[in-house]
Amino acid sequence: MNKQEILEQLAKAVVEGDKNSARENAQAAVDEGLDPLEAVDRGLSKGMAVVGANFESGESFLPELLMAADSFNAAMEILNPLIEANKQKISKLGTALLATVKGDMHNIGKNIVATVLETNGFEVVDIGIDQSTLNIIEAAQKHKADFIGLSSVMTTTMPYQKEVIETLSEMGLREKFFVLVGGGPVTQKWADEIGADGYGDTAVDAVGVAKKLLEKKG
Amino acid sequence: MKTFKKDYSSFQKGLGRLQTAMNGVPDRVPVFVQMHEFAMKELGMNATEFFANPDLLVGGYLSVLERFGIDVPTVDYDVYNIEAEAIGQTVIYSEHDMPDVDRSDPLIKSRDDLKKIKKPDFASDGRLATVVEINNLFCELVGETPTLNFCAPFSLAANIRGIEQLIMDILIEPDFASELFDRITEELLAPWILYLKEKFPGARSICGNDATSSLPIVNTGILRDWIVPYVQRLREICGPEIYVPNWVGESHLKNPEEMLELKLQACPNFLECQDPDVAELGPAVYKNYAEKKGVPLILGVGAAFLALSAPQEISARVKHYIEVGGQNGRFSLYLCNIGATTPAENIKAAVDAVHKHGAYS
Ligand code: B12
C-alpha cells in the first residue's frame, strides 16, 4: 500500500467503526515509515470529520459515533508510542473544560461533544454532570482551560449557564475563558442573551465555533 | 405538614373522557400531563420531602392537577430509579432535584456483577414498598387504579451499566449484552410487574418508561434488535397491558414511519409522539399514520416549548395539534414534563386552549 492508500484506509476504518482495520492500518503506517502525526491528521481525523458530519445531518447516531471513536482510539494506541518516541507532540488547539450544569443529569450530549472535540484536536477535561458553578470555575482555572463548555438539556437548568457567566464576571475572570453553551433547549438567542461567547447546536458545531474563537484571539 | 383532600373521585370524569377518546369521540379532547417538578415547587416542598412522601406525591400532586384543570389523574415519581435502586444501584438524593442514579458509579461494571440482577425483596428493597403505597393511596383517593409504572429494560440497563458502555456492549460484546437484558427482563422486571399485578388486579395499563431508547442515542437497528424484543418478552410473560410508549426521535429519520412502526410493536394500542418531533414533522404525519393503522393518537406538547414560549404561542400550538389530531376523535393531548421554572400562565394557556378548541359539538 502506498502512503495515500494507508491514509484513506485509516479514514475509512474510522467511518466504518472498524477497529481491526484501524489497528492494521495504523501498523501499516508505522511499518511504511509514515509520519504518525500525518496519519492522525490526514487519516483518522478526516474519518472522524465525516462521522461528525453524518451525525449532524441525522444520517448516523450515537452508536456509529462511539464505534468511530473506539476505532480512532485503537489506532492511536499504536501511533502514540511512536509520536512520543519522536518527541513529537500533537499540537493541541486548546483545552476545553466540559460540564453539565447543576441539577442536570443528562450526559449523552456532553459526552458526544467531548468525543468530537477530542478527536478534532482539543484537550478535553470533562468534569461530569450536576456541576455547581463554583466547581466549574475552579476546575477551569486548575486546568488552565481556554474554553468552558456548558451543557444543559433542561429548561430548568439553563439559568445555571447564565450563573456561570455572571459569576465569572463577578470574580473578574470573564476574560480568561471562552464560554460555549449547548444542549437540547439552548438556542443562539439564549446564548446571546446571557453573553456566552459561542453556541453549538451540535457537537460538530462546537468544534467550528471553538476554532473560530481561537482564530479571533489570534 | 399540609394535609390534602381525601377525595379526588371527581377525576373519574376525566378518566372516562380519556377512555372514550381512546375509542371514539368524547365530549372534549382530554388533556393529561407530567408535572412532578412543577408540583413540587407549587407545593413549596423540597425534593427530599417530596419524593419520599406518598402523601405529597399523590395527594399533593392531585391537588395541583385539579387546580390546573387537568383531566386525567396520574401517579408521578422518579420512575427511572426504582428497580435500579432496589438491586443496589446508588441513587443520589438532593434537596432541589428529583433523585437520579449515580452515573459515575454504575452497578454493573463486569460480567461478575450480572448476578446482582435478581428478584428483589418487594417488602424491603429500595423503595419498592413505597411505590405500592403510592399506588394504593391513589386508588383510595380517586377510586380507580392508576396506570402502573416501571423502568423499561433498555433505560434500566443504561442506568445500571452506563449508556455508552451499554451501546458498546451491544456492538462489541453481544453475548454479555444479551445476558444483561435477559436478566433484567426475566429476573427483575417480570417478577416485579407480576407482583404489582397481584397487588393491583384492577390495573388496566402498565407503562414502561424508556426515554433512553430514543434517537440519536440509539439507531433503528438497536431499537429493532435489542429494545422491541425485550418489551415483547415482558408482554408475553406479564400480559398485554404492558406497553412502552415514550421513545422520541423519529424526526431524525428520512423515513419516520420506520420508527413509528417499531413504536407500535412496543405499544400496540395507541401511538404516542411528542415535540420536538411533532413540531418538526407536523401533526398530520401522525394523524394519517394513526388512522392508517387504526389506533388512537396522543400528541405531546414539548416541555422546553411550554417553558420558554409566550402563552399565545402555546395556545396556537395546542389549537393546531387539536385541529389536525382531533379530527374524528381518537385523540388526546399530553403536556410533557412540566418543569419547576415553567410559568403557571403557560400551563393555564395550554389547558384553556384545550377547553376552547377541544370541544366536539
Ligand atoms: C435520554 C433522556 C434522559 C435519560 C438521560 C440519560 C443520560 N445518561 O443522559 C434519563 C432517562 C435518565 C432522563 C432523565 C430525566 N429527564 Co430526560 N430526556 C432524555 C431525552 C429523551 C434525550 C436527551 C439526549 O440525550 N439527547 C441526545 C443528545 C445527543 O442530544 P443533546 O443532549 O441535545 O446534545 C447535542 C446538542 O445539544 C449539543 N450539545 C449538548 N451539550 C452541549 C454543550 C456545548 C458546550 C455545546 C457547544 C453543544 C452541546 O451537542 C450534542 C450532540 O450533537 C430527552 C428528550 C429529547 N427529545 O431530547 C429528555 C429530556 C431532556 N428529559 C427531560 C426530563 C424532564 C427529565 C427528568 C426530569 C425526568 C423525567 N421526568 O423524565 C430526568 C432529569 C434528571 C435530571 N435532573 O437531569 C425533559 C426536559 C424538559 C425540560 N424542562 O427542558 C426532556 C426534553 C424530555 C421531555 N420531552 O420532557 N432523561
Side-chain angles (χ1 to χ4, degrees):
Chain A
M1 263 194 307
N2 67 28
K3 179 174 147 188
Q4 194 52 37
E5 279 168 350
I6 295 177
L7 292 175
E8 278 166 20
Q9 288 301 317
L10 280 170
K12 186 162 168 250
V14 171
V15 173
E16 291 175 355
D18 185 340
K19 200 169 171 173
N20 288 334
S21 162
R23 276 204 196 103
E24 279 163 24
N25 284 290
Q27 194 54 52
V30 174
D31 297 344
E32 298 292 320
L34 255 74
D35 177 352
L37 281 184
E38 197 177 349
V40 178
D41 267 2
R42 299 193 37 220
L44 298 174
S45 298
K46 275 238 166 93
M48 204 61 208
V50 173
V51 177
N54 286 346
F55 183 77
E56 189 164 6
S57 68
E59 271 161 71
S60 62
F61 301 90
L62 179 62
E64 287 81 0
L65 203 68
L66 289 175
M67 288 295 274
D70 199 43
S71 310
F72 187 105
N73 292 334
M76 286 307 284
E77 275 172 27
I78 293 172
L79 298 174
N80 254 336
L82 208 66
I83 294 173
E84 278 162 25
N86 294 352
K87 298 235 180 316
Q88 286 174 306
K89 229 183 149 174
I90 299 185
S91 64
K92 287 287 175 190
L93 295 171
T95 300
L97 182 110
L98 292 184
T100 302
V101 297
K102 184 149 182 49
D104 203 322
M105 316 290 178
H106 295 84
N107 64 1
I108 298 168
K110 170 189 62 61
N111 294 359
I112 294 175
V113 175
T115 306
V116 175
L117 280 175
E118 220 154 37
T119 46
N120 278 281
F122 288 84
E123 175 95 39
V124 173
V125 182
D126 181 349
I127 58 168
I129 54 174
D130 191 21
Q131 291 295 322
S132 74
T133 296
L134 288 179
N135 262 356
I136 293 170
I137 296 176
E138 205 171 284
Q141 286 181 292
K142 181 169 151 211
H143 295 282
K144 302 197 169 42
D146 301 289
F147 297 92
I148 298 178
L150 301 173
S151 184
S152 161
V153 181
M154 303 198 291
T155 52
T156 40
T157 57
M158 283 163 60
Y160 289 111
Q161 297 184 328
K162 186 169 174 221
E163 188 181 280
V164 172
I165 294 177
E166 286 172 351
T167 311
L168 281 170
S169 298
E170 282 162 21
M171 295 169 79
L173 297 171
R174 182 66 188 90
E175 304 306 319
K176 281 196 120 174
F177 310 103
F178 291 123
V179 180
L180 300 182
V181 294
V186 177
T187 58
Q188 182 68 55
K189 184 165 162 262
W190 167 253
D192 293 342
E193 231 172 87
I194 64 172
D197 300 295
Y199 157 72
D201 185 32
T202 65
V204 179
D205 278 356
V207 174
V209 174
K211 283 187 177 164
K212 269 214 191 97
L213 286 169
L214 282 177
E215 271 168 33
K216 257 207 311 213
K217 191 174 160 194
Chain B
M1 170 62 60
K2 275 198 174 102
T3 45
F4 301 99
K5 251 171 55 174
K6 284 285 160 235
D7 180 5
Y8 285 97
S9 55
S10 53
F11 275 118
Q12 284 181 13
K13 185 162 175 220
L15 280 169
R17 181 173 283 140
L18 177 68
Q19 194 138 40
T20 315
M22 294 302 269
N23 298 308
V25 183
D27 57 338
R28 163 170 69 63
V29 169
V31 56
F32 65 108
V33 70
Q34 185 183 15
M35 51 155 55
H36 51 241
E37 295 205 11
F38 180 85
M40 179 174 102
K41 188 206 72 180
E42 277 288 299
L43 297 168
M45 296 292 161
N46 69 35
T48 340
E49 287 172 281
F50 187 73
F51 286 101
N53 183 333
D55 233 15
L56 290 170
L57 279 169
V58 183
Y61 190 68
L62 289 172
S63 75
V64 178
L65 293 185
E66 187 176 55
R67 195 179 318 149
F68 281 87
I70 304 299
D71 290 309
V72 185
T74 43
V75 283
D76 201 2
Y77 49 91
D78 53 318
V79 290
Y80 287 101
N81 302 330
I82 303 300
E83 296 84 357
E85 186 180 36
I87 55 168
Q89 170 66 51
T90 324
V91 169
I92 301 173
Y93 290 84
S94 74
E95 201 178 313
H96 298 292
D97 307 301
M98 70 184 252
D100 193 31
V101 297
D102 182 354
R103 279 171 223 294
S104 65
D105 185 21
L107 182 71
I108 307 301
K109 297 189 181 70
S110 67
R111 196 174 273 273
D112 222 28
D113 289 332
L114 287 174
K115 59 178 181 300
K116 293 180 183 165
I117 306 172
K118 56 178 196 299
K119 182 176 164 182
D121 183 330
F122 304 126
S124 62
D125 282 342
R127 286 176 292 154
L128 297 178
T130 313
V131 168
V132 172
E133 199 183 334
I134 286 168
N135 287 303
N136 264 328
L137 190 56
F138 183 100
C139 296
E140 222 174 87
L141 297 188
V142 179
E144 288 283 341
T145 310
T147 294
L148 305 177
N149 282 285
F150 64 97
C151 179
F154 190 84
S155 289
L156 182 51
N159 271 351
I160 59 178
R161 178 72 174 145
I163 177 67
E164 283 96 348
Q165 191 54 56
L166 177 66
I167 289 176
M168 292 312 279
D169 293 341
I170 287 175
L171 297 173
I172 289 172
E173 272 201 85
D175 288 350
F176 175 86
S178 293
E179 196 178 336
L180 175 69
F181 282 111
D182 285 344
R183 279 182 177 261
I184 284 177
T185 307
E186 303 194 4
E187 316 278 329
L188 174 56
L189 288 177
W192 166 231
I193 294 169
L194 290 172
Y195 174 79
L196 283 174
K197 278 182 64 159
E198 199 184 293
K199 289 271 166 199
F200 301 97
R204 274 171 300 183
S205 60
I206 305 181
C207 173
N209 295 277
D210 207 8
T212 311
S213 300
S214 292
L215 274 41
I217 301 167
V218 298
N219 55 27
T220 47
I222 291 182
L223 270 177
R224 183 179 317 107
D225 299 338
W226 291 91
I227 296 172
V228 169
Y230 289 97
V231 177
Q232 287 178 331
R233 181 82 189 109
L234 275 180
R235 287 170 59 85
E236 278 162 26
I237 305 173
C238 304
E241 60 277 57
I242 315 298
Y243 62 94
V244 174
N246 71 326
W247 316 329
V248 301
E250 61 277 1
S251 60
H252 288 273
L253 296 173
K254 281 201 187 73
N255 174 19
E257 287 198 4
E258 190 188 345
M259 179 150 169
L260 300 186
E261 208 154 296
L262 292 166
K263 286 186 75 140
L264 285 185
Q265 291 176 25
C267 178
N269 294 334
F270 60 94
L271 178 66
E272 181 182 305
C273 298
Q274 54 174 258
D275 291 338
D277 296 309
V278 181
E280 183 83 18
L281 300 175
V285 167
Y286 297 96
K287 185 65 178 177
N288 292 340
Y289 189 78
E291 287 196 327
K292 187 166 92 185
K293 296 290 171 178
V295 290
L297 175 66
I298 298 175
L299 291 182
V301 179
F305 177 79
L306 286 167
L308 300 174
S309 308
Q312 307 85 285
E313 294 172 281
I314 293 171
S315 309
R317 184 170 292 184
V318 168
K319 177 169 183 254
H320 180 49
Y321 285 9
I322 287 179
E323 278 173 358
V324 178
Q327 276 174 42
N328 316 317
R330 304 202 82 188
F331 176 72
S332 354
L333 194 88
Y334 176 51
L335 308 178
C336 301
N337 254 319
I338 296 176
T341 55
T342 304
E345 65 261 30
N346 288 10
I347 306 174
K348 226 179 140 279
V351 175
D352 285 351
V354 175
H355 287 199
K356 186 161 163 208
H357 305 291
Y360 292 95
S361 47

